[in-house]
Amino acid sequence: MKITIACLPEEEREADLINRFVQGLLPIEKVRKSDRHPPFKHFYLTTKKAETPCNSMEKA
């Protein structure tokens, strides 16, 4: 799963709080910050790859 947060510089504190909250809920693998598109700042959160689901209904 990928989550993108876009904010203005004055909203960066709130975006950081959201970032920390999401990291507490989900197993975040990578966080990337970018300010390539002024005046917006972007936070890109990528979760870990999903594990293989349980195959309890396998064919016999």
Side-chain angles (χ1 to χ4, degrees):
M1 174 188 324
K2 294 182 182 179
I3 301 169
T4 303
I5 300 171
C7 64
L8 293 169
E10 59 268 12
E11 300 170 329
E12 192 170 356
R13 182 173 175 249
E14 290 87 351
D16 188 50
L17 288 171
I18 292 169
N19 180 8
R20 283 192 257 154
F21 177 75
V22 170
Q23 286 184 0
L25 292 176
L26 299 171
I28 300 296
E29 187 171 280
K30 184 168 49 170
V31 176
R32 191 170 60 88
K33 296 179 183 180
S34 173
D35 56 354
R36 289 173 122 187
H37 306 284
F40 296 100
K41 293 190 176 208
H42 293 85
F43 294 85
Y44 300 97
L45 311 171
T46 305
T47 61
K48 292 184 179 180
K49 194 172 185 178
E51 295 182 18
T52 306
C54 177
N55 293 325
S56 60
M57 300 295 292
E58 290 182 20
K59 295 181 179 179

